[in-house]
Amino acid sequence: MNNRGPRRRRAAAGGCLPGTHQFHVDSNLPGWFGRLDLGEKRSRFLLCTYVAPRYLAGALTLLFFAMGRPAYAQQVTRVPPFIGTHSETWERFGVSQLPSGTSILGGIATISGDHMETATTFQMCTVRARPSDGTILMDSDRPTGPITISFSRPVSAFGAYWGSGVGCFGNPPSILTFVDVAGHVIGTDSFVYMGDGTLAWHGYRFGTPVKTIVRTAGDNHEGVAVDGLRATVVAAASPRAVLGDFNGDGHPDYVLRNPGTRQTAIWYLNNNIYQSGALGPSISAGWGLDSVADFNRDVHPDYTLFNPTSDRTAIWYLTWWG
């Protein structure tokens, strides 16, 4: 699996590599939710490496290959089979052709591609695919392009049982590409099917909610069978703002939540006048901010979170605002 990593910084003049440690401070926070320009202070250090110029390029090349590409904050993590909030077993379609753009997963997604059909089995060169559950699977025989699953609501997890040709065309891999709401690729996975017809599970949890999943073949043509799709929709019922007195001045303050990044922010208010602000913690994927209250009576408001998938609540005890 390949999680995208941040671009490497260019070396500064004089052979020194600049690095930064960032932290956010109170400054013009109202712009963060449509009209805000966040202020930022940086403490900067310089790491200087004194190496003979003729050895520097070789040393950096060796370091790159030794370290490999850094993970992009573990945006895509493999997970075992799960239930999820929505599923697709293809049974309702029977044996039929599947038009591109067909609605699946209970209406939260569409699947697009060509040569798609639902069937009781699928010949994968030397083996025959079997449904992972029920009697129907979906297949696409030697497609001319990718198969794309587009979600109407972003998902925090996705999984399915997959299979492709064994013993022919060089056993090309299936490649899954995961794209977020902004159209950024947050990671990929590549796997080669070498089974006996029993489809193999591949499941993922996403650090950033995913809007689109694209399956391509390593040779751009190898067919695929898939069954038992599972998806977990990101919590969408959480309010965008809740109230709480975070600085103890007797006036309610806003706690705002950015649904795209899950970052929270506090607007300190005097009646209805914005005074200043600070960034709060980011909420975990799948959870929403439900309310604010001082649960441990330390005079600092705490977060109440709710996960609609598991129907569980959680309390985050906070101590550093005010």
Side-chain angles (χ1 to χ4, degrees):
M1 181 160 49
N2 174 24
N3 291 318
R4 289 273 175 113
R7 297 193 177 195
R8 297 180 179 273
R9 296 182 180 273
R10 293 182 180 270
C16 297
L17 300 176
T20 61
H21 173 71
Q22 304 176 15
F23 60 94
H24 295 278
V25 295
D26 303 352
S27 175
N28 301 323
L29 272 167
W32 184 60
F33 282 86
R35 56 186 183 86
L36 223 230
D37 182 19
L38 283 177
E40 181 181 275
K41 286 185 178 179
R42 298 175 183 264
S43 64
R44 184 174 295 272
F45 65 89
L46 292 178
L47 175 64
C48 299
T49 306
Y50 296 98
V51 182
R54 66 196 182 101
Y55 295 122
L56 182 57
L60 291 178
T61 301
L62 178 61
L63 180 62
F64 175 83
F65 283 106
M67 294 179 63
R69 178 179 291 181
Y72 182 60
Q74 295 300 315
Q75 290 294 309
V76 181
T77 305
R78 292 189 181 98
V79 295
F82 60 89
I83 296 176
T85 59
H86 296 76
S87 64
E88 182 61 71
T89 64
W90 312 110
E91 302 300 310
R92 62 194 176 96
F93 294 100
V95 175
S96 65
Q97 297 297 311
L98 201 65
S100 184
T102 294
S103 177
I104 62 172
L105 288 164
I108 66 159
T110 59
I111 187 167
S112 301
D114 60 11
H115 303 176
M116 298 190 302
E117 66 175 10
T118 49
T120 58
T121 187
F122 176 55
Q123 188 69 47
M124 301 190 300
C125 295
T126 61
V127 299
R128 295 189 69 86
R130 299 184 294 274
S132 62
D133 50 44
T135 60
I136 301 293
L137 53 72
M138 194 283 287
D139 68 76
S140 177
D141 188 13
R142 304 296 288 173
T144 61
I147 292 176
T148 303
I149 300 175
S150 304
F151 297 95
S152 60
R153 298 164 60 187
V155 296
S156 59
F158 174 82
Y161 293 86
W162 299 86
S164 57
V166 177
C168 60
F169 305 111
N171 297 326
S174 287
I175 303 168
L176 301 183
T177 303
F178 307 105
V179 183
D180 67 11
V181 176
H184 301 140
V185 174
I186 67 165
T188 63
D189 193 18
S190 176
F191 48 87
V192 175
Y193 179 78
M194 296 298 291
D196 62 358
T198 302
L199 302 183
W201 170 263
H202 296 275
Y204 312 91
R205 182 175 63 248
F206 308 121
T208 298
V210 162
K211 195 75 160 51
T212 306
I213 298 174
V214 181
R215 183 270 176 183
T216 55
D219 65 352
N220 295 317
H221 294 293
E222 179 55 36
V224 66
V226 61
D227 197 13
L229 282 65
R230 301 285 186 271
T232 299
V233 171
V234 172
S238 175
R240 187 164 182 173
V242 296
L243 296 176
D245 182 7
F246 280 84
N247 56 359
D249 65 354
H251 296 283
D253 306 308
Y254 277 165
V255 184
L256 305 176
R257 179 184 64 89
N258 186 319
T261 64
R262 305 190 306 278
Q263 176 81 57
T264 60
I266 295 90
W267 284 7
Y268 299 113
L269 306 177
N270 183 353
N271 195 6
N272 63 339
I273 306 300
Y274 171 82
Q275 303 295 309
S276 62
L279 289 179
S282 295
I283 296 173
S284 302
W287 294 80
L289 179 62
D290 187 71
S291 62
V292 169
D294 182 9
F295 286 93
N296 56 356
R297 299 189 178 183
D298 64 350
V299 306
H300 295 286
D302 308 306
Y303 284 177
T304 306
L305 308 179
F306 177 68
N307 188 321
T309 301
S310 62
D311 203 31
R312 298 181 64 185
T313 57
I315 299 169
W316 281 10
Y317 297 105
L318 309 176
T319 60
W320 54 278
W321 287 315

